[in-house]
Amino acid sequence: MEKTIDKAGRKLNEINERIKELNELKQDFEQMIEGFTVHLHDLKVNGNLGRRQN
């Protein structure tokens, strides 16, 4: 039973670490989407949509 508890505890730690990593990745994507959305809005407002910027 002790081995099972230890193994379950290690697995739980692995799961919690993965959740932490996924939450960080989620935040990165949310920030990227927000930045792109703001940039796209600015392009639309300024009439630059569809033109290449150098």
Side-chain angles (χ1 to χ4, degrees), residues 19-54:
I19 289 170
K20 180 182 171 190
E21 292 169 0
L22 289 171
N23 279 327
E24 290 170 357
L25 184 61
K26 178 179 177 260
Q27 287 179 336
D28 290 345
F29 271 90
E30 288 171 343
Q31 290 173 353
M32 180 182 66
I33 290 168
E34 182 180 347
F36 285 160
T37 301
V38 168
H39 186 65
L40 178 61
H41 177 265
D42 290 345
L43 289 173
K44 287 180 178 180
V45 167
N46 294 325
N48 294 329
L49 191 62
R51 294 187 208 152
R52 276 197 165 217
Q53 294 183 356
N54 295 326

Side-chain angles (χ1 to χ4, degrees), residues 1-23:
M1 195 174 236
E2 286 179 356
K3 287 182 181 182
T4 301
I5 292 169
D6 289 342
K7 186 175 181 178
R10 286 192 304 274
K11 190 64 176 177
L12 182 58
N13 287 337
E14 291 173 15
I15 291 168
N16 283 329
E17 185 61 32
R18 185 67 176 143
I19 289 170
K20 180 182 171 190
E21 292 169 0
L22 289 171
N23 279 327

